[in-house]
Amino acid sequence: MMKKYSQLFSLVFFGIFSFFVTTASAIDLDEATRTVVVDGSGKTMVLTPEQVKRGKRLFNATCGACHLGGITKTNPNVGLDSEALSLATPRRDNVAALVDFLKNPTTYDGLESIAEVHPSIKSADIYPRMRSVTDEDLTAIAGHILLQPKVLTEKWGGGKIYY
């Protein structure tokens, strides 16, 4: 008898808990937050909620192992924060530039290709996860990278002090 009540209690508790957790984690970002720069001319676009979710999922699956929290584990001096992206050569602080980087990655100074050591469309034979990534996926990933400084502020790219 006690076992039945404990199972029933567990089921009710789980149901109530999952209801509150689901509604609490479904954060809707406003349009201003979802607005990112598309290209070097300053043109902007508003990411759809689906693009935001897809970008986060794809980033975590394909980039998260080395760039968790916007840092670069292989080179902590180069992060994915807004300042670091804007100081790269060429600038990587817009969707088009990040998509270009994900297709053909170069060093921070832009002088050498790093396709053999950084996952990209160009090196999809070495990095199988990149084989099925489309341009839409790359745009969603780039949108996620540009959106995170607005959501996480200084934590994005902040390094060990936050993660």
Side-chain angles (χ1 to χ4, degrees):
M1 185 77 164
M2 185 66 167
K3 187 175 181 181
K4 272 187 175 178
Y5 286 122
S6 66
Q7 288 175 341
L8 179 63
F9 176 76
S10 297
L11 184 62
V12 170
F13 179 76
F14 177 75
I16 292 171
F17 179 75
S18 64
F19 173 76
F20 285 110
V21 168
T22 302
T23 56
S25 64
I27 299 173
D28 288 347
L29 302 173
D30 63 355
E31 278 193 24
T33 305
R34 290 184 285 122
T35 302
V36 294
V37 179
V38 176
D39 56 28
S41 69
K43 182 180 170 190
T44 61
M45 70 180 272
V46 178
L47 298 169
T48 66
E50 292 76 27
Q51 284 176 308
V52 172
K53 290 175 191 172
R54 182 183 184 112
K56 181 177 182 176
R57 182 180 53 79
L58 289 168
F59 178 86
N60 289 336
T62 58
C63 313
C66 294
H67 293 289
L68 179 66
I71 62 164
T72 302
K73 289 183 181 177
T74 57
N75 185 355
N77 296 320
V78 180
L80 298 178
D81 57 289
S82 302
E83 182 182 9
L85 294 174
S86 68
L87 294 174
T89 305
R91 293 176 65 115
R92 300 292 184 189
D93 59 351
N94 61 70
V95 172
L98 283 171
V99 168
D100 177 60
F101 179 83
L102 292 169
K103 289 181 177 182
N104 186 22
T106 59
T107 54
Y108 194 69
D109 60 9
L111 298 177
E112 297 177 36
S113 174
I114 57 170
E116 290 182 7
V117 295
H118 190 281
S120 64
I121 299 301
K122 185 176 183 178
S123 59
D125 54 330
I126 302 171
Y127 300 100
R129 286 189 175 169
M130 297 301 287
R131 291 179 187 158
S132 61
V133 176
T134 65
D135 280 350
E136 275 185 21
D137 296 338
L138 294 176
T139 299
I141 292 170
H144 174 75
I145 293 168
L146 295 172
L147 181 69
Q148 289 312 294
K150 296 177 182 181
V151 175
L152 299 176
T153 61
E154 72 273 354
K155 287 183 180 179
W156 180 253
K160 291 181 179 180
I161 61 172
Y162 297 109
Y163 296 99

